[in-house]
Amino acid sequence: MSSILVEQKAQSDSVENLSDSILISATYDGDKKKAVLKFYEPKEKKIYLWEDNTNHRPYCLIRRDKVSLETLRELRARKDVADIVDIEKLDLRGDRKIMVAKVITTNPLAIGGGVDSIRSITTTWESDIKYYENFLYDYEKGLIPGAFYRIQNSKIVPVEYDIPANVREALKKGLSRVDGDSASKIIEWAQLLGQPLPDIKRVALDIEVVPPEENRLPDPETADHRVIAISFVSSDGLKEVLLLRRKDIKDGQNVLGPEVNIRWFDDEQELLNAIFARINEYPFVITFNGDEFDLKYLCNRAKKLGIYEEQVPIQLGRDWAGLRRGVHIDLYKTFINRSLQIYAFGNKYSEHTLNGVAEALLGKTKIELDDFIGNLPHYELANYCYNDAQITFDLTNFSQEILMKILLVIARVAKMPLDDASRVGVSNWIRSMLSFDHRRMNALIPRKDELQEVGGASTEAIIKGKKYKGGMVVEPKSGVHFNVAVLDFASLYPSIIKVNNLSYETVRCVHEECKSNKIEGTEYWVCTKRRGITSLLIGSLRDLRVNYYKPIAKSPNLTKEQKDLYNVVSQALKVILNASYGVMGAEIFPLYCLPVADATAALGRNTITATINRCKELDIEVVYGDTDSLFLKAPSQEQIKEITNWASDKLGIELDLDKVYRYVAFSSRKKNYLGVMPDGIIDIKGLTGKKSHVPRFIKDAFYETVEILSKVQSTEDFEKAREDIRNDIRKRARALKAKEVPLDQLAFTIMMSKEIEDYKGTKPQHVRAAEQLKIKKGKEVKAGEVISFIKTLGSNGVRPLELAKKEEVDTEKYMEYLRSTFDQLLDALGYDFEEILGARTLDEIFWGGQS
DNA sequence: ATCTGTGGCCACCAGC
DNA sequence: GCTGGTGGCCAC
């Protein structure tokens, strides 16, 4: 028999059939010479390993500089070769005839370990074409991670899901307007993304280890210290803490609820075995920093204690910790992904720590310890550890498990195993997505040096040090404007890439006759003969989101599950689409092509400029605009209709009415405004008062004023608002001067983007504060963490919050900061800060109006 | 080892 | 005191 199916626990169970399951990943077992595919079966909620020694074919490595195009075409046509990859770089190692070849390939199901392990191989080179002894799984089947398959009579069969009737209807309407290639691509996406998102059975864990000394973390490499506690929280209701009983430690008081099961162990080895048994029960294991700490520590500790390797379910890689049979998701790596941070989680968190993320997304925090962790009584340790596992689990559970679902959708779109997708950035998602289609159409993936031949930038950036010119920002008309309609282009850049056929092989293409198809404002031209591959892929994804997923998510007669699915897919597509333009201009992206990014932005500027001109013709006043949006002053329904129809007809891009503000207040600054919606809800953009580093005290004052302004309905109301604002600011200014404001409310909170030592050149205030904290308290603020500090008189001008005293607060500085924060706001309304207080000097602000 | 882009505002640093 | 540069945070 060619294939056997291995169940998660019973290692040698041979099964020939497997009901609908999600493909997780595929690897190659070099010893057995077999492909191993990992599946998740959602009914039994188990992982199955499918071993297969069929359906894999050799790689073909070529030296592209030595191989002719004809030979390449022949190679592509051969059925006994799974993939053609070419050598990026060859290094001769010594006088042995061994070359180290850097290979370009990113097939997620490439046998040998996925994305990165194939990139560098050692081989002896005998000819310009070499069949590599390792194998690729039969990618021509188009196996997609995250998608459903079943196994019937030892064969892998894709599960066909019907496109729901309402999507089918929407598709029909839209598809009549696109070409055949796009239409089939869109249907393909719709079928893949319409597949259900099953429940994922999972357990979150967190471990505690005796630290070598206070404020120092145990080293997971050496794993010298005892594991003293571990907590599990799972999707099927498991809540437990495993504790190592230590003679020199008190029990303390149990504050955990009765639902939390506490298990005691006298022997650390038994504890570890119990931990591994639990891990084996779950197909998915969730940690926060498990790659670098928890799982790494457990694995190395087990080795140290002499536990047999086969009994340890963890496999350590260079910078990740995997599970032999399950899937490990390290949320630290997921939350550090900027794309997800901004587009999936609305930029709600900034600090990349468990506490920072959990506080922002869940409103839950870690338990603060006042004692050295090694001295904590057993039950207090249990409570602390349990809380961490609970928060970690909750991060995968909030908002209908949005995180797990979005990762699954991204795995499907990116054609990347879910655990890989959760660990890497957008450039790798998009690389994987594009590579998949290159292979399917038998196209060779271009090398960096080949792409470089397309050329450099054609425009000059406004900001020094940038590579090309970006979006256009319209000078705002300062003052208050009532009934402002905000229109924006739906997915502007992806739309431009679609409409204008932008791709690395179409911009500045080789055909003489295309050279007249110029992009205005640049020296570029675009191919008129062939459809560009990135244009097709990004364009079809865009169409799917804009024409189907966005409207369908809003439609009323949907089940809750359908609605959830549409929302999640729509979100995931937004993340991918938003990044698809950016990566084209990023050197690290393997398909980096500056002219594509440059041309996209140029066409964006042309689009918005043309629309502004059209508004002028229609007698509509444009008060502001930024990149893909226009703010129109009190347009009529007809005018809006006129302009949106025009955009759709003439530009081929949907211009949507996003919202109408009751009023908008612009200062003279770009990217700085305040808008009030009809229901009184306030949009604040870019104003200092909303920025995360601003002290609580200033934020509160700012938001109180905003609150007052939100009640304003008409021009006359502003008079009353002015009075209320004046009273409030005076009250707060007096409290500041009288040093009645608690210190923590005066703390600036700024992220350390680098380690302290890495700040060369200038030394900003927050870094100086971090230095003081390190010297005086031995507490180190690491990169990615936030430091709180107070602006003080003398001594460097700053003091970390922990060391500051009320008397040394630089009141004048804070007053100045308060004033500049309010200036942005009040400028727009035609007041000024001191005038509104009825005072001419700062001193009068403090004491004026007081009798 | 990891990394999507440019435009804009602000406070502060450091050199003159 | 002026000024260019840096760092942080934000808009899109």
Side-chain angles (χ1 to χ4, degrees), chain A residues 566-732:
Chain A
Y566 292 138
N567 275 325
V568 169
V569 173
S570 186
Q571 286 273 92
L573 292 183
K574 187 164 118 193
V575 175
I576 299 249
L577 284 172
N578 266 308
S580 61
Y581 143 78
V583 295
M584 299 295 172
E587 288 98 333
I588 51 137
F589 183 56
L591 296 175
Y592 168 60
C593 188
L594 223 164
V596 173
D598 194 3
T600 309
L603 285 159
R605 293 190 299 275
N606 296 349
T607 303
I608 198 162
T609 307
T611 313
I612 291 171
N613 289 338
R614 183 67 191 153
C615 283
K616 276 183 193 147
E617 285 170 20
L618 295 169
D619 224 18
I620 310 172
E621 189 185 352
V622 179
V623 287
Y624 181 61
D626 186 347
T627 311
D628 62 354
S629 68
L630 286 172
F631 289 55
L632 309 181
K633 184 159 182 170
S636 67
Q637 295 282 351
E638 291 72 44
Q639 283 175 316
I640 290 177
K641 216 168 179 180
E642 189 92 29
I643 193 75
T644 53
N645 285 343
W646 174 85
S648 160
D649 293 347
K650 288 282 174 340
L651 305 172
I653 304 175
E654 293 83 354
L655 182 61
D656 299 328
L657 176 64
D658 181 29
K659 56 197 161 193
V660 179
Y661 287 119
R662 187 197 292 159
Y663 70 89
V664 185
F666 291 114
S667 63
S668 51
R669 301 161 186 85
K670 292 172 174 177
K671 295 182 191 280
N672 267 262
Y673 63 87
L674 173 145
V676 182
M677 311 280 270
D679 54 7
I681 289 184
I682 296 187
D683 257 357
I684 298 164
K685 300 289 180 184
L687 302 185
T688 302
K690 80 174 281 197
K691 294 196 178 182
S692 62
H693 68 278
V694 170
R696 190 78 255 161
F697 169 73
I698 291 171
K699 256 191 188 167
D700 284 349
F702 176 80
Y703 277 110
E704 180 58 35
T705 297
V706 165
E707 172 70 23
I708 293 167
L709 290 171
S710 73
K711 300 199 178 95
V712 172
Q713 298 275 356
S714 64
T715 321
E716 298 81 61
D717 291 349
F718 276 117
E719 272 318 300
K720 165 99 176 62
R722 178 203 291 258
E723 192 59 33
D724 292 346
I725 292 167
R726 170 205 297 223
N727 289 336
D728 185 68
I729 298 180
R730 276 191 185 177
K731 189 183 76 196
R732 290 172 195 270

Side-chain angles (χ1 to χ4, degrees), chain A residues 73 181 441 443 500-507 509-511 514 526-533 535-536:
Chain A
R73 288 203 188 97
D181 282 351
M441 57 201 281
N500 297 281
N501 196 25
L502 300 186
S503 191
Y504 62 81
E505 77 278 27
T506 54
V507 174
C509 66
V510 292
H511 314 115
C514 298
V526 187
C527 189
T528 55
K529 293 171 170 290
R530 291 188 49 184
R531 188 73 205 274
I533 180 167
S535 173
L536 178 65

Side-chain angles (χ1 to χ4, degrees), chain A residues 303-363:
Chain A
K303 249 181 240 163
K304 194 146 218 167
L305 296 183
I307 296 176
Y308 290 122
E309 216 179 304
E310 305 84 77
Q311 285 178 288
V312 181
I314 303 161
Q315 273 176 325
L316 294 187
R318 266 177 75 88
D319 50 4
W320 58 272
L323 297 172
R324 269 182 228 286
R325 296 202 165 71
V327 182
H328 171 219
I329 309 277
D330 182 349
L331 294 183
Y332 173 72
K333 297 228 169 95
T334 309
F335 282 110
I336 217 164
N337 183 318
R338 261 202 59 188
S339 269
L340 288 174
Q341 181 182 349
I342 295 171
Y343 294 108
F345 302 112
N347 219 355
K348 283 194 195 120
Y349 62 92
S350 51
E351 217 175 355
H352 301 136
T353 58
L354 179 58
N355 194 53
V357 176
E359 192 172 2
L361 294 178
L362 310 169

Side-chain angles (χ1 to χ4, degrees), chain A residues 513-552:
Chain A
E513 53 277 46
C514 298
K515 287 189 176 168
S516 58
N517 187 26
K518 277 255 159 42
I519 296 174
E520 214 188 307
T522 69
E523 296 298 314
Y524 304 128
W525 64 89
V526 187
C527 189
T528 55
K529 293 171 170 290
R530 291 188 49 184
R531 188 73 205 274
I533 180 167
T534 64
S535 173
L536 178 65
L537 267 165
I538 295 167
S540 56
L541 262 189
R542 185 224 86 109
D543 276 355
L544 194 71
R545 171 168 149 81
V546 171
N547 294 337
Y548 318 117
Y549 275 95
K550 257 172 95 177
I552 282 170

Side-chain angles (χ1 to χ4, degrees), chain A residues 119-138:
Chain A
R119 282 176 63 80
S120 198
I121 60 155
T122 309
T123 176
T124 55
W125 199 261
E126 291 119 22
S127 68
D128 297 331
I129 301 168
K130 180 178 168 65
Y131 295 98
Y132 189 45
E133 58 269 22
N134 221 338
F135 293 91
L136 270 187
Y137 198 74
D138 188 353

Side-chain angles (χ1 to χ4, degrees), chain A residues 337-503:
Chain A
N337 183 318
R338 261 202 59 188
S339 269
L340 288 174
Q341 181 182 349
I342 295 171
Y343 294 108
F345 302 112
N347 219 355
K348 283 194 195 120
Y349 62 92
S350 51
E351 217 175 355
H352 301 136
T353 58
L354 179 58
N355 194 53
V357 176
E359 192 172 2
L361 294 178
L362 310 169
K364 293 186 178 178
T365 55
K366 279 171 76 91
I367 292 171
E368 280 189 43
L369 296 178
D370 8 277
D371 200 357
F372 177 50
I373 205 161
N375 297 336
L376 281 187
H378 287 127
Y379 280 120
E380 273 184 48
L381 177 70
N383 188 35
Y384 174 79
C385 179
Y386 174 78
N387 185 59
D388 278 2
Q390 179 73 57
I391 304 178
T392 305
F393 176 75
D394 286 346
L395 286 174
T396 68
N397 209 40
F398 75 100
S399 298
Q400 288 82 49
E401 307 179 323
I402 180 96
L403 178 60
M404 298 310 291
K405 288 176 177 166
I406 216 158
L407 286 177
L408 187 51
V409 175
I410 286 169
R412 287 173 181 173
V413 177
K415 313 287 189 284
M416 192 178 243
L418 194 139
D419 42 355
D420 285 359
S422 73
R423 282 174 172 77
V424 300
V426 277
S427 64
N428 280 314
W429 295 343
I430 294 172
R431 158 170 83 162
S432 174
M433 175 180 97
L434 296 176
S435 300
F436 184 87
D437 268 72
H438 275 81
R439 295 211 156 77
R440 266 213 315 210
M441 57 201 281
N442 244 343
L444 211 56
I445 297 166
R447 292 192 312 235
K448 284 221 129 164
D449 56 318
E450 290 168 326
L451 288 170
Q452 220 151 31
E453 285 167 22
V454 181
S458 176
T459 62
E460 203 177 316
I462 288 172
I463 301 175
K464 226 178 97 185
K466 301 287 186 188
K467 290 168 288 190
Y468 61 95
K469 188 177 283 197
M472 188 178 79
V473 188
V474 180
E475 194 73 47
K477 290 192 177 160
S478 63
V480 177
H481 307 277
F482 283 84
N483 294 318
V484 170
V486 182
L487 281 74
D488 55 18
F489 288 102
S491 299
L492 180 67
Y493 287 164
S495 304
I496 285 171
I497 289 172
K498 178 191 84 162
V499 173
N500 297 281
N501 196 25
L502 300 186
S503 191

Side-chain angles (χ1 to χ4, degrees), chain A residues 181-201:
Chain A
D181 282 351
S182 302
S184 52
K185 205 74 258 148
I186 291 170
I187 290 173
E188 199 184 304
W189 283 124
Q191 269 168 342
L192 173 64
L193 298 175
Q195 295 195 8
L197 300 172
D199 285 337
I200 288 179
K201 181 183 174 187

